[in-house]
Amino acid sequence: MDLSYTPEEEEFRARLREWLAKVLPGLPPKPSPDDWPGRRAYDLGWQRMLYDAGYAGLHWPADAGGRGATPTQHLIFLEETENAGAPYVGANFVGLLHAGPTIAAEGNAGQRARWLPPVLRGEEVWCQGFSEPDAGSDLAALRTRARRDGDDYVVNGSKIWTSHAEVADWCELLVRTDAKAPKHRGISWLAMPMDAPGITVRPLRTLAGSTEFAEVFLDDVRVPVANRVGEENDGWRVTMVTLSFERGTAFVGEVVACRRVLGELAREARKNGRWDGAVLRRRLGRLNAEFRALWRLTQWNVSESERSGGVPGVGGSVFKLRYSRARQDLYDAAADVLGPEALDLDSRWTLDRLSSLSYTIAAGTSQIQRNIVAERILGLPKGR
């Protein structure tokens, strides 16, 4: 494991800081959280700025439209953009952090040429069609069927918690293509155009009041066989590649954000007098150590990724498991620091606290992460 930065990496950091300082003051105001067309346009506009400046798809291979940068340079990019307060990927989340890297790793030349450049240029948005109402955390129990009909699959079923479905152009969709195969087999990974006939999208409102995901109903939706990434019935393996990116690097910027939030809480506690309480100081100190350790774990995972060709390993599950809990602990501590202000429904603190509850579910529940750690890292036998 190498936790140091080379002179070239520090030079990259300096250039990035200079560029961010120049462009961020000129950005337009962020749209309302309920204005999804506006949010899509804002997020795609930022992505286009990154593309024009050469910062889009930094760690993607050059033949996939990226710069072929190292995972460490990508880590620096995420750290610096978060510290500078640059826009989050937003509606580009699935395309940039899930579907795009998966297609770069598993897609054929035609698929890479068709789907990756529009993601990097900020022209197309993807959503994630994995979870289903009756499958719970058992992704392999999915029931959405895809029947082969000539050069198409005919898809029937439904998905839930489909991130950004209401503004997406494409969906990374998991379907069952062999109903007789064991549940972890017989699954295929498809790229489904969201304007295909037979798709119904119903936004779901979260506890925090937002609608960033939706129910999606599929009624005889035709998806070309050419849109399948990987071999038929090999979708589970391809999906593990997707999830390794989701758990391995997708939350990196949020660790930086949490460290910044912790600093804000410490300053506020000093201002309002709650810093005098030894219990609160110990709590904030423990959280500081927690997030410092998570950042080091991130560096370790990135170092491992560099050795394995750029695909994160199962260490991402260790990170995801602990980060989910630490984020909730952070916003519990915020309530102690802020007092009644933390109950204001219009406060960003309240909305972030409500959002933090989802992190033990998103990207695989904590129970699933524990299973992965137990079986794939510790070598324990599977539960019966």
Side-chain angles (χ1 to χ4, degrees), residues 204-280:
L204 294 169
R205 191 164 296 277
T206 70
L207 185 65
S210 61
T211 57
E212 67 263 24
F213 45 54
E215 292 180 285
V216 176
F217 300 91
L218 308 169
D219 184 15
D220 286 339
V221 179
R222 301 187 76 89
V223 179
V225 173
N227 288 19
R228 186 189 68 233
V229 175
E231 296 299 320
E232 185 171 280
N233 300 327
D234 192 32
W236 182 258
R237 185 192 60 79
V238 177
T239 301
M240 292 304 101
V241 173
T242 304
L243 294 179
S244 72
F245 284 110
E246 184 175 25
R247 296 163 186 164
T249 55
F251 294 111
V252 168
E254 298 190 38
V255 174
V256 179
C258 285
R259 294 178 70 180
R260 187 179 67 247
V261 167
L262 186 60
E264 291 179 32
L265 290 177
R267 288 190 291 273
E268 179 60 28
R270 289 186 175 95
K271 186 188 306 182
N272 64 23
R274 289 186 171 88
W275 187 258
D276 295 336
V279 173
L280 178 63

Side-chain angles (χ1 to χ4, degrees), residues 127-206:
C127 63
Q128 187 179 67
F130 282 14
S131 300
E132 295 190 4
D134 297 325
S137 298
D138 187 2
L139 183 59
L142 66 89
R143 297 182 181 178
T144 295
R145 298 283 187 89
R147 174 178 55 84
R148 183 77 175 260
D149 182 27
D151 292 332
D152 291 335
Y153 288 110
V154 180
V155 182
N156 285 277
S158 65
K159 297 290 179 176
I160 199 167
W161 318 129
T162 310
S163 304
H164 303 310
E166 63 268 45
V167 292
D169 304 291
W170 292 90
C171 176
E172 52 171 356
L173 183 72
L174 291 186
V175 295
R176 187 162 297 284
T177 42
D178 185 350
K180 297 180 181 179
K183 68 177 187 177
H184 286 82
R185 304 182 185 278
I187 294 173
S188 296
W189 197 107
L190 304 180
M192 179 180 70
M194 289 298 288
D195 60 355
I199 299 176
T200 301
V201 176
R202 296 180 185 172
L204 294 169
R205 191 164 296 277
T206 70

